[in-house]
Amino acid sequence: DTTYVSHIHGAWYDFTEFKHPGGPVALNLALHRDATALFEAHHPFTSRSKLASVLRKYEIPKGSEREKELERSGLLAQNEPDPYSWDYSGVNGRQEDREAEKRDQFEIELKEMGRQYFVQEAKRRGVSFQQATKATPLRWCQVAALAAAYLVTVPGMLRGEWWTLLVSPFLAWVWLANMYHDACHFSLSTRWWVNAALPYFTPWLSSPLTWYHQHVVGHHAYPNVGRMDPDLAHAPQLLRHHDTIRWRETHRGQDSTSRTMFIWAVGTFGLSVLSDVRMLVQGMYNKVVPMQRIGKTRLFAHAMGRALFFMVTYVWPFLLFVCWREAETERDWRRAVLFAFVPQMIFSLLFMACSQVNHLTPRCATSHTRARAYSLAHSHTLRLSVVCSTTHGSSKNYFRHQVQTAQDF
C-alpha cells in the first residue's frame, strides 16, 4: 500500500495515522514523492529534535520488505536527483551531522533572523509564535475590504456593464495578489481549512490544485533548477528560459516587445486552462512535477470547477449578447468578444507585469542578463561566454539557493 507514503531525507514514511498540524492539504502534497525540500521549506523554525521525534513514529524500517517494495515501486522514478545537500539534516540518522562550525552560516543566520523577527512580533501583538507568522487583524481587514470591492463588480460584470470591463479585472488582481499566494503557502491563517478554501474564490489565475503543483511543489522548492522548476517550462514552443529547454527556431526573437506582450496577455489563460488540462492528461505539471494522486470525487469536482470557470469567463458573454438575443439587430458580437477576452487579458497583464518585475533587481537587470537571454533565444549551442549567473548562481544549500537564485529569475 503506497497511499500515504512519502520520502524525506533518504527515508520512507507512512503517514496514514498522522494528523498533520498544517492540515491534510499540506501533507498530501508531500505524498508519493521525495518531499525533502518541501519538508525543509515549511519547518524552518521547528526544532530538529521535535521533527525527529515526530518522523520516528512513522518511519518505515530500513531494510524492511515494505521499504524494498517502495524502492521498487517507481514512485521516485520521475524525480530528478536532489540538487541540494542535506548532510546536516539530523532528523532521521540516515546522514551524519556536520560539526556545528562547518554548517552553512548563512542558513543559520537567516533562520535566526526570521525567528527573532517573529518572536518580537509575538511579544508586540501578545500572541503565540505561530499566530505571529500569520496575517494580522489589520491584514485580514484589508483582504476582506478588497474581496468586498471585487465582489461588488461581479453582478455588473455578468450583466455586461461597460465600467466593469476594466474595474473588475483590476480589483480581481489586487484581491488575489493580497491573498491567494499566501493562502496557498499555508501562511495566511492558523486554520488550515481557511488557507485551503479562500483561493477557490479567486479562480482567474489558476485552480489551487494546479497552483500547488506549479508553485509550491515545483517553483518554490526548486527555483530555476532545470527539469524541476515548472516555471522554466511554460510555453516552451515560444520561450526558452533555461538551457534544459530544447532550442527551437521559434525561440528567435523571444526577447522582442511584441512577443513579450502577447505572452503576458494570454499568460493566465495558459495557467488556468491549458496547464490544467495538460496536467490531468499527462499526470505531470509541465512534464516536471508529478501530479498527486486524488480520488475520483475530487477529480470530478476539480473538472467541474474548471468547466464552470471556463463557462462563466469565456462562454457567458456570447450567451448573454448573442445566443439569447432573438432579433438579429440585438445581437452584439463585439460586446461578447470584448467581455469574453479583455478582462482576462487585463488580469493577465497585471499578473505578469507585477510578478516578473518583482523578481528583478538592479544587479540582475544588467547587460549580462540581456546577453544571457539573447544567447538562449538565438543559440542552440550556448557558446556565448557571458552569462548572468557568474556572481550569484545556484547553491547546494537550499536556503542560500533561495536567496541567490531569486536575483537571477
Side-chain angles (χ1 to χ4, degrees), residues 289-359:
V289 178
M291 180 182 171
Q292 71 175 95
R293 300 179 182 180
I294 59 176
K296 293 181 179 179
T297 301
R298 172 110 188 263
L299 180 61
F300 177 79
H302 173 78
M304 291 299 99
R306 289 291 85 196
L308 179 62
F309 162 77
F310 189 86
M311 165 70 181
V312 173
T313 304
Y314 300 107
V315 179
W316 174 262
F318 291 95
L319 295 176
L320 182 65
F321 297 117
V322 179
C323 298
W324 293 343
R325 302 295 176 93
E326 294 183 2
E328 182 67 30
T329 56
E330 295 179 348
R331 294 175 182 175
D332 194 338
W333 283 93
R334 185 191 64 165
R335 201 169 189 176
V337 170
L338 288 174
F339 272 88
F341 299 108
V342 169
Q344 188 63 232
M345 291 174 66
I346 294 174
F347 178 87
S348 184
L349 287 168
L350 289 168
F351 166 73
M352 295 297 290
C354 294
S355 62
Q356 302 306 303
V357 171
N358 287 347
H359 283 85

